[in-house]
Amino acid sequence: LATGLCPMDGCARWQQWFGLLYPLLLAVAAALGLVAYRRAVDGAGRVRAVAQLALVAGAGLTLLAYVRSPLAATDPLGNSRYLSVLQISLPAVLWPLWSAARRAGPGAAGAAGRLVGVLGTAVLAALTATALVVTGAFVASAGSLRAEEGRARELAAAVRRAGLREVYTDYWTCHRLIFNTGEAVVCGVLDGNLTPGQNRYPAYWRRVARAQRPGYVLAVGSSAERGLRRLLGDRADAAVVTEVSGYRVYHPETPVRPWR
């Protein structure tokens, strides 16, 4: 997913083969870089080899930092974006395949050399085909992406029309709402249990905490909404300001902050 070979909703089984091949290519690229440095006869050759090794080292450190994080195990798909910088090192990682593919020509030394060349060419062709398929699928899904953005803007407009300036909501809705309202609305992040979630910018959380009458923007039927309705009791329906784009906007008379 991080190298652009899968759609955003995850990789099919047939698209996961490059994830197995990538570490092997990384190791081969490191070995080729070391050999090139030792064989370099001038400064320019050493600089090229050092640049290649730097790209390989950057990719290796990125992978190491990722796999050491618990989030890589608990939610690998949601956190694959932290591997997107691997694209910078992709030319160095693919260099072993390109070097092998050059042996597929008539001048290849022996049957083994030609076989390696054919394999390298086949893998590069498979990568290219996979990338084209995924790019085509992404272009085809552009309409649904525009519709999703339209719903997010509709929600932001509804919150502003309700006169709300400070609200509580979930993580993925919060910062998008702030962006789409140009910070006219700020929010604090709550998890499904209506307790403080991952608030990356403490100033927003503090501002909502000081609000005398904050609102709540919660997905219809979510655990957070069910919890809020339980806390509000008979006042739940009266606190609903609007329902839009799969969300209900609540504005109760008194703030609901069960973590206090």
Side-chain angles (χ1 to χ4, degrees), residues 57-116:
L61 291 172
T62 299
L63 287 174
L64 179 63
Y66 178 77
V67 299
R68 283 175 56 85
S69 170
L71 295 175
T74 58
D75 186 14
L77 181 63
N79 293 279
S80 62
R81 62 189 183 278
Y82 296 114
L83 292 175
S84 60
V85 291
L86 292 178
Q87 294 282 17
I88 299 172
S89 301
L90 191 59
V93 176
L94 295 181
W95 182 250
L97 292 175
W98 179 256
S99 300
R102 294 169 61 185
R103 300 185 180 184
R114 286 192 293 272
L115 177 61
V116 170

Side-chain angles (χ1 to χ4, degrees), residues 201-233:
Y201 186 51
Y204 289 149
W205 176 261
R206 290 194 295 267
R207 176 175 159 182
V208 180
R210 292 192 299 266
Q212 296 296 318
R213 194 185 168 198
Y216 298 80
V217 180
L218 304 175
V220 175
S222 64
S223 59
E225 193 211 14
R226 293 195 300 270
L228 179 65
R229 294 187 69 87
R230 282 195 301 270
L231 292 171
L232 290 174

Side-chain angles (χ1 to χ4, degrees), residues 56-236:
V56 171
L61 291 172
T62 299
L63 287 174
L64 179 63
Y66 178 77
V67 299
R68 283 175 56 85
S69 170
L71 295 175
T74 58
D75 186 14
L77 181 63
N79 293 279
S80 62
R81 62 189 183 278
Y82 296 114
L83 292 175
S84 60
V85 291
L86 292 178
Q87 294 282 17
I88 299 172
S89 301
L90 191 59
V93 176
L94 295 181
W95 182 250
L97 292 175
W98 179 256
S99 300
R102 294 169 61 185
R103 300 185 180 184
R114 286 192 293 272
L115 177 61
V116 170
V118 170
L119 289 175
T121 302
V123 174
L124 286 174
L127 281 171
T128 302
T130 303
L132 288 173
V133 169
V134 174
T135 301
F138 178 80
V139 173
S141 68
S144 62
L145 295 175
R146 285 193 296 268
E148 181 189 357
E149 176 59 20
R151 290 191 293 270
R153 292 182 179 276
E154 186 180 6
L155 176 63
V159 172
R160 295 197 65 176
R161 285 195 302 269
L164 297 174
R165 294 295 178 266
E166 294 88 17
V167 301
Y168 289 106
T169 186
D170 63 86
Y171 177 82
W172 293 108
T173 305
C174 180
H175 301 291
R176 196 170 185 177
L177 181 62
I178 293 172
F179 179 81
N180 282 336
T181 61
E183 287 189 302
V185 177
V186 300
C187 55
V189 175
L190 299 179
D191 61 18
N193 298 317
L194 290 182
T195 55
Q198 190 174 18
N199 287 276
R200 294 185 178 274
Y201 186 51
Y204 289 149
W205 176 261
R206 290 194 295 267
R207 176 175 159 182
V208 180
R210 292 192 299 266
Q212 296 296 318
R213 194 185 168 198
Y216 298 80
V217 180
L218 304 175
V220 175
S222 64
S223 59
E225 193 211 14
R226 293 195 300 270
L228 179 65
R229 294 187 69 87
R230 282 195 301 270
L231 292 171
L232 290 174
D234 295 338
R235 300 172 294 152

Side-chain angles (χ1 to χ4, degrees), residues 18-72:
F18 189 60
L20 300 175
L21 182 62
Y22 188 95
L24 177 61
L25 290 176
L26 194 64
V28 175
L32 290 178
L34 289 173
V35 170
Y37 182 82
R38 291 175 61 88
R39 292 180 177 177
V41 296
D42 55 14
R46 291 191 180 92
V47 168
R48 285 194 297 269
V50 168
Q52 180 178 348
L53 289 171
L55 289 171
V56 171
L61 291 172
T62 299
L63 287 174
L64 179 63
Y66 178 77
V67 299
R68 283 175 56 85
S69 170
L71 295 175

